[in-house]
C-alpha cells in the first residue's frame, strides 16, 4: 500500500530456527542478512569481485543508511496485538489529514520519524535502531550525532517511569543548546531502583534521570566495526543456540561501547568477543529536551495515548461505515477505524474498534478494544434478544483464524490483565483475581493448566478460550466475563469444548487467512465509500486512493472499479453546473488506471488539462475583450493592411521609446496557493518581497516605435525574430517558441487588433539578468514588464492592477499555467501579503507591509540570497501537484491550507519585527514544499542546508523548488557574515551569494 518507497530494500529477518537469541544477537543476525543480500545483488552485477570475504561484504554497507526495527516478541501485555504484531497496531494520529488513505499504524509513525534521521547522518553510512513498541515524537533531522561512534537517544524523565525502563548515566556535558545536550555515556542501568539511581549518580540536578528511549544511532567507524562483527556472527549465534542463552542489545551489545561495563560484559555470553571487536569506540548520549516518549507496552497505555496528550490529533472515524446518530449510540470519543457498524449498536467512551463488523444488538462498553471481530448474528440468535452480546467496560475482544481449521476463535480479557502475572501473584482474568474467577464459574485449576507443568500458571498459558460455533462462543464469552449467572449448561459446554491458550494461539494463527480477510474487509469498506461518493456526492473523496484499497480485494477489485467507471458520465452530466470538469475527468482517468486501461487514461488526460485551462481562463478573463486574443488570420495579410489603413493615411510618425525595469521576487511562504486550479476554487495567500540584485533591477524591456512596419523582437540570448505578417501572431503557441511571451503581450494589450501598427513598427528588446531556472518568477515578471511597456507606448492603462490582470490572461494564452504571485511580487514594491479569492472573476487583494527602517535593516543584514547552482524546471513539478489536487489528495490539500495560514503568520511576525519567528515559518514552509513534491530538493541543496543549518533560523528554496535560488535567514548578523565567508571559501559548494536590496 505504498507505506515503504519501492527504492528502499526491506527485509524481515526472524531469529534462526525459531529460537530466541536475544535482541543483541538478532541485531547482528539482521545486519548479516542485509550484508548477504547486498552481496548477492553485487554478484548479479557485472563487476570485478574478490570472492565473498567478510571485509568486502562489510564494505557494501559502509555508506548505507539502515533502519533496524525490533518488532519481535509475543506482545503478551497487549495480547490483542499479538496476531498483527505490536508495531502494526492502529495509531490514528493525523489520520484526519488523509481520510481516504489506509489507517495509520504505529509502524508508519516510526518510519516517518526514522526517515528524518537520515539528515543527521550526513554523508556517513550508519544504522538507526528503534523498538516496535515506542513512538518517540521528536524531529530526528536536527539530531547532532558525534562522528565515528555510537549514540543513544535519551530524554529527561521522572524517576517512577525510569524504574521500568533503561537509564543512561552520562558524564559531563560536552556540547549543549537549549534543545539538546551531548555527553559521553558513563554507565547503563536496567530498571534501576531509587538506591541504584542515587548510587550511580544518575539523578540529574532537577530530580529527573536520562531515559533510554531504545533509539541507537551508529555511524562511521563504529558502524563499520559493527558490520564487520555481524558478518562473522554466525559462529557466535550457533554458540547461543547450543547453550540456549540470549544476547541483549540494550544490556550486552551496547555495553561494549561503555568502558565501565566491560568487566561485567566479559562474564556474559560472548561478552569478551563483543569487547574485543567493538570496545575501541565510545558511546554518547544525545539528550533531546523536546522528545515525547510514548510507550505502547500495555493495552491501557494504548488507550491512554489515544485519549490523553495529543488526543486532538487522533482521527476518530476513518474508512468506516457507521449509522446515523438517531439509529445508534456511538460516543464522540470512540475511535472507529476500518469498521462497519450496524444500526442498533452501542459503543462507549474512548473505546477502539478496528477492522471489525458489528451487527445490531451489540453493546460495547467504555475503554474497550475490539479488533478483527466479525459479529453477524442475525441468523443465529432470535429477534427477541434485544441485546445479543455485551462487552463490559475495560475489556478487549479479538478474533483469530486457526491454521488447518475453518473455525475462528474468539479471544477476550480485561484491559488491565497482565497475561504474564501468575495465579499466585495477583494474576487476573477479565479484571478479576483468578481465584474469584474459578470460584464464581465453578472451574478447577486443572481445567486450565496441566498439573505437571513447570511454568507458572497465568493467563498466557491457561486453556480458557473454547473453539465452538460462533453464537455459542459469544454466549460462553459473556459467561466467562461474569455477565451471566452461574450456569451448569455453560460450564458443561465450556468443559467439553476444545480449548486453546494465548500461548498456543500464538503458534496457531493462520496469518494468510487473517491478512486476506482483513484486506477484503477494508476493500469492501473503501468500495462502499467510493460508491456513495460517486452516487450521492460531488466526487470530493480521493478516488485514486480508495481504488488502491479496492484493488486489494482478491478477484473482484478490478470489476468493482469498472462498475464505477460506467457511472462517471452520468455524474458529470447531472452535476455539470457545479462540478469542475477537470475534477470529473481526473476521476475517470484514475478509474481507467485502476482498470489497467493505461492507453485510454493517457488519451483522456488531455481533457483534464484542457478543462483546467478553460476553468482558469473563465476566472481570469472575465470582462476581457475576447477578440483581442483571437488571431486576425481570417484575413489575408494584404486585406489586413488595406482594411487597417482605411482612413489612417497621412498620419505623422512620432518616434517613442519606453524602458521598463522590474525587480525579481523572493517568496517567504504561501507559494502553491496562487496556482490554478487551487486559486480558482479556494482562497490563497502569499508573503513575498521585491528585490534588486547586484545593485540593479534585473528584468526589463526597451520598446521603440519604428517608421517601417513590422515587429522586431530581440532578447539577451541573441535570439531575434522579425514579424511582418501580423496574422502569424495567434494562440495557441508552440511550447518551443522562445518569443511566445512577447507575442502574447502584443495580443492581450490589443496592439494587433486596434489599428496600432498601421503606419509604424516596433522593436522590442527584453532581458533577464538572472540565471536560468532561478525560481525568482522571471518569466511572469518579464511578461509584466513587456505588457507595461506596450501599454505605455500606446498610452493605455498601465496601472499595476491592470498590468497584473493582463499578465494572468497572457499566461493562459502562453499555456504555462502558472499562478499570480510572480507578477504581483515584481510589480508591487517592497514586502506584501497578497490574498486571492476564488470566483469569476478571480479577485486579488495586495496588502503592502509597512516595513520599519529597523525591519529593512535587519532583513538585509541577516538574509542571504544564494544561487544554488542547480537549474530548476517547474513545469513537471506543477503538473504533479495539480494532479494531486484534482485527485483531492488530502495531504496536499492540508499542506497548502497550512501554507496559507503560515503566510498570514509570517506577515504578523514581520510586523512585530520577529525575524526568528519568520525563520521558523520558512522552515515549516520548506518541509511542506517537500511533502507537496519530494523532488523539490536534491542532494546538493540538502548538503547546502545541512551546512548552513547551525548558522540559520530558517531556510528554503524560492518558488516551487528543485534548484534555483535559496533564502538563508541567519540567526544574527554575525552568523550571516560567517556563513557567507564559509560558503565562498568552501570549494565543495558552487554557489553564488548575491548582493541584494529591498525594492521600495
Amino acid at each position: 500500500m505504498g507505506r515503504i518507497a519501492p527504492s528502499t530494500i526491506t527485509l524481515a529477518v526472524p531469529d534462526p530456527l525459531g529460537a530466541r537469541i536475544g535482541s543483541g544477537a538478532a541485531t547482528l543476525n539482521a545486519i548479516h542478512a542485509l550484508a548477504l543480500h547486498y552481496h548477492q545483488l553485487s554478484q548479479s552485477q557485472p563487476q570485478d569481485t574478490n570472492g565473498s570475504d567478510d571485509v568486502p561484504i562489510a564494505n557494501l554497507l559502509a555508506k548505507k543508511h539502515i533502519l533496524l526495527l525490533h518488532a519481535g516478541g509475543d506482545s503478551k501485555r497487549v495480547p490483542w496485538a499479538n496476531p498483527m504484531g505490536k508495531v502494526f497496531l492502529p495509531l490514528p494520529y493525523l489520520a484526519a489529514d488523509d481520510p481516504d488513505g489506509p489507517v495509520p499504524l504505529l509502524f508508519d509513525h516510526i518510519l516517518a520519524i526514522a526517515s528524518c534521521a537520515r539528515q543527521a547522518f550526513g554523508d556517513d553510512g550508519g544504522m538507526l535502531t528503534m523498538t516496535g513498541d515506542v513512538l518517540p515524537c521528536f524531529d530526528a533531522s536536527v539530531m547532532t550525532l558525534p562522528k565515528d561512534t555510537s549514540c543513544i537517544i535519551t530524554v529527561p524523565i521522572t524517576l517512577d517511569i525510569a524504574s521500568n525502563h533503561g537509564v543512561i548515566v552520562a558524564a559531563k556535558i560536552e556540547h549543549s543548546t537549549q534543545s539538546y545536550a551531548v555527553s559521553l555515556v558513563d554507565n547503563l542501568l536496567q530498571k534501576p531502583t531509587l538506591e541504584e539511581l542515587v548510587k550511580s549518580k544518575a539523578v540529574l540536578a532537577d530530580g529527573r534521570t536520562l531515559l533510554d528511549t531504545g533509539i541507537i544511532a551508529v555511524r562511521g567507524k563504529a558502524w563499520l566495526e559493527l558490520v564487520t562483527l555481524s558478518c562473522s556472527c554466525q559462529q557466535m549465534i550457533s554458540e547461543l543456540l547450543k547453550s540456549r542463552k540470549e544476547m541483549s542489545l540494550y544490556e550486552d551489545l551496547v555495553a561494549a561501547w561503555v568502558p565501565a561495563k566491560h568487566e561485567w560484559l566479559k562474564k556474559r555470553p560472548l561478552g569478551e568477543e563483543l569487547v574485543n571487536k567493538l570496545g575501541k569506540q565510545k558511546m554518547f548520549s544525545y539528550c533531546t529536551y523536546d522528545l515525547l516518549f510514548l510507550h505502547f507496552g500495555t493495552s491501557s497505555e494504548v488507550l491512554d495515548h489515544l485519549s490523553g496528550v495529543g488526543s486532538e490529533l487522533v482521527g476518530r472515524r476513518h474508512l468506516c461505515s457507521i449509522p446515523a446518530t438517531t439509529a445508534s449510540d456511538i460516543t464522540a470519543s470512540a475511535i472507529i477505524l476500518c469498521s462497519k457498524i450496524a444500526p442498533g449498536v452501542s459503543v462507549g467512551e474512548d473505546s477502539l474498534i478496528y477492522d471489525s463488523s458489528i451487527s445490531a444488538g451489540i453493546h460495547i462498553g467504555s475503554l474497550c478494544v475490539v479488533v478483527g471481530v466479525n459479529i453477524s448474528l442475525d441468523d443465529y440468535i432470535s429477534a427477541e434478544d434485544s441485546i445479543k452480546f455485551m462487552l463490559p467496560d475495560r475489556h478487549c475482544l479479538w478474533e483469530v483464524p486457526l491454521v488447518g481449521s475453518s473455525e475462528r476463535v474468539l479471544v477476550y480479557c480485561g484491559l488491565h490483565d497482565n497475561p504474564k502475572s501468575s495465579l499466585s501473584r495477583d494474576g487476573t482474568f477479565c479484571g478479576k483475581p483468578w481465584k474469584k474467577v474459578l470460584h464464581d464459574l465453578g472451574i478447577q485449576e486443572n481445567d486450565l493448566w496441566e498439573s505437571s507443568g513447570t511454568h507458572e500458571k497465568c493467563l498466557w498459558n491457561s486453556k480458557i478460550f473454547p473453539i465452538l460455533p460462533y453464537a455459542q462462543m459469544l454466549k460462553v464469552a459473556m459467561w466467562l466475563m461474569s455477565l451471566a449467572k452461574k450456569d451448569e449448561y455453560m460450564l458443561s459446554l465450556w468443559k467439553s469444548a476444545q480449548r486453546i491458550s494465548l500461548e498456543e494461539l500464538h503458534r496457531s494463527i493462520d496469518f494468510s487467512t487473517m491478512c486476506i480477510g482483513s484486506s477484503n474487509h477494508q476493500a469492501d469498506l473503501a468500495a462502499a465509500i467510493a460508491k456513495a461518493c460517486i452516487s450521492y456526492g460531488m466526487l470530493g473523496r480521493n478516488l485514486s486512493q480508495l481504488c488502491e484499497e479496492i484493488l486489494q480485494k482478491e478477484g473482484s477489485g478490478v470489476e468493482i472499479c469498472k462498475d464505477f467507471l460506467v457511472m462517471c458520465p452520468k455524474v458529470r452530466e447531472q452535476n455539470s453546473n457545479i462540478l469542475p470538469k477537470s475534477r470529473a475527468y481526473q476521476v475517470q482517468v484514475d478509474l481507467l488506471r485502476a482498470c489497467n486501461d493505461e492507453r485510454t487514461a493517457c488519451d483522456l488526460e488531455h481533457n483534464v488539462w484542457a478543462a483546467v485551462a478553460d476553468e482558469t481562463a473563465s476566472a481570469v478573463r472575465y470582462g476581457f475583450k475576447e477578440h483581442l486574443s483571437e488571431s486576425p488570420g481570417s484575413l489575408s495579410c494584404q486585406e489586413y493592411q488595406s482594411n487597417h489603413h482605411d482612413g489612417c493615411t497621412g498620419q505623422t510618425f512620432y518616434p517613442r521609446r519606453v524602458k521598463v525595469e522590474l525587480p525579481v521576487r523572493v517568496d517567504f511562504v504561501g507559494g502553491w496557493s496562487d496556482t490554478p486550479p487551487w486559486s480558482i476554487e479556494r482562497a490563497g495567500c502569499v508573503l513575498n518581497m521585491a528585490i534588486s540584485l547586484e545593485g540593479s533591477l534585473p528584468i526589463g524591456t526597451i520598446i521603440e516605435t519604428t517608421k517601417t512596419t513590422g515587429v522586431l523582437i530581440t532578447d539577451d540570448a541573441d535570439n531575434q525574430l522579425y514579424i511582418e505578417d501580423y496574422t502569424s501572431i495567434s494562440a495557441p503557441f508552440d511550447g518551443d517558441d522562445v518569443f511566445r511571451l512577447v507575442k502574447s503581450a502584443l495580443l492581450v494589450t490589443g496592439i494587433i487588433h486596434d489599428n496600432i501598427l498601421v503606419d509604424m513598427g516596433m522593436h522590442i528588446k527584453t532581458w533577464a539578468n538572472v540565471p536560468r531556472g532561478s525560481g525568482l518568477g522571471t518569466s511572469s515578471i518579464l511578461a509584466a514588464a513587456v505588457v507595461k511597456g506596450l501599454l505605455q507606448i500606446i498610452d493605455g492603462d498601465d496601472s499595476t492592477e491592470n498590468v497584473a490582470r493582463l499578465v494572468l490572461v497572457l499566461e493562459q494564452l502562453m499555456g504555462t499555467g502558472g499562478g499570480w504571485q510572480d507578477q504581483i511580487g515584481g510589480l508591487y514594491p517592497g514586502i506584501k501579503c497578497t490574498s486571492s479569492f476564488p470566483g469569476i472573476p478571480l479577485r486579488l487583494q495586495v496588502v503592502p507591509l509597512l516595513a520599519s527602517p529597523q525591519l529593512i535593516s535587519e532583513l538585509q543584514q541577516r538574509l542571504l540570497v544564494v544561487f544554488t547552482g542547480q537549474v530548476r524546471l517547474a513545469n513537471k513539478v506543477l503538473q504533479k501537484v495539480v494532479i494531486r489536487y484534482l485527485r483531492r489528495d488530502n495531504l496536499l490539500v492540508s499542506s497548502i491550507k497550512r501554507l496559507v495560514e503560515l503566510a498570514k503568520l509570517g506577515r504578523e511576525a514581520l510586523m512585530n519585527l520577529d525575524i526568528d519567528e519568520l525563520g521558523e515559518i520558512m522552515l515549516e514552509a520548506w518541509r511542506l514544499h517537500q511533502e507537496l513534491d519530494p523532488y523539490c530538493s536534491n542532494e546538493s541543496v540538502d548538503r547546502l542546508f545541512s551546512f548552513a543549518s547551525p548558522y540559520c533560523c530558517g531556510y528554503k528554496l524560492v518558488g516551487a523548488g528543485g534548484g534555483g535560488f535559496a533564502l538563508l535567514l541567519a540567526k544574527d548578523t554575525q552568523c550571516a557574515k560567517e556563513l557567507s565567508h564559509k560558503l565562498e571559501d568552501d570549494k565543495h559548494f558552487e554557489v553564488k551569494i548575491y548582493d541584494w536590496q529591498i525594492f521600495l
Side-chain angles (χ1 to χ4, degrees), residues 717-732:
D718 295 328
N719 296 308
Q720 70 173 29
L721 174 69
Y722 178 70
I723 304 173
E724 185 176 9
D725 182 1
Y726 303 141
T727 62
S728 65
I729 303 176
S730 62

Side-chain angles (χ1 to χ4, degrees), residues 310-350:
S311 61
E312 69 279 2
L313 301 176
V314 173
R316 299 190 177 273
R317 305 287 187 272
H318 195 93
L319 282 183
C320 58
S321 173
I322 56 176
T325 54
T326 55
S328 62
D329 178 25
I330 301 175
T331 59
S333 62
I335 300 170
I336 316 292
L337 310 172
C338 280
S339 295
K340 183 177 181 179
I341 311 295
V345 170
S346 174
V347 182
E349 294 179 352
D350 296 320

Side-chain angles (χ1 to χ4, degrees), residues 345-357:
V345 170
S346 174
V347 182
E349 294 179 352
D350 296 320
S351 287
L352 169 64
I353 316 294
Y354 174 59
D355 199 25
S356 298
S357 292

Side-chain angles (χ1 to χ4, degrees), residues 171-246:
K172 184 179 178 182
I173 293 175
E174 297 195 5
H175 178 64
S176 66
T177 68
Q178 289 184 339
S179 58
Y180 72 88
V182 177
S183 314
L184 197 64
V185 173
D186 264 355
N187 206 348
L188 307 168
L189 306 175
Q190 285 296 323
K191 298 183 179 180
T193 63
L194 178 59
E195 292 74 17
E196 289 173 321
L197 289 168
V198 173
K199 183 179 178 181
S200 302
K201 298 181 180 179
V203 182
L204 304 174
D206 62 1
R208 296 183 295 174
T209 191
L210 293 181
L211 175 74
D212 167 10
T213 64
I215 308 173
I216 300 171
V218 190
R219 67 184 295 203
K221 292 179 181 177
W223 168 234
L224 188 58
E225 289 179 1
L226 181 60
V227 174
T228 303
L229 173 62
S230 300
C231 289
S232 61
C233 72
Q234 292 308 297
Q235 182 61 37
M236 298 171 64
I237 291 174
S238 295
E239 290 182 31
L240 289 174
L241 290 170
K242 288 178 184 177
S243 62
R244 295 185 178 181
K245 293 182 179 179
E246 298 183 12

Side-chain angles (χ1 to χ4, degrees), residues 39 50 75 91 108 136 158 184 206 208 224 275 406 437 488 531 542 692-693 767 769 911 922 933 977 988:
H39 182 64
N50 298 317
S75 187
L91 193 61
D108 297 319
T158 56
L184 197 64
D206 62 1
R208 296 183 295 174
L224 188 58
V275 172
S406 60
V437 172
E488 291 299 326
K531 185 176 182 179
N542 188 338
S692 62
L693 294 176
W767 65 87
N769 296 324
M911 292 296 287
M922 288 169 61
D933 174 41
K977 291 178 180 177
H988 294 97

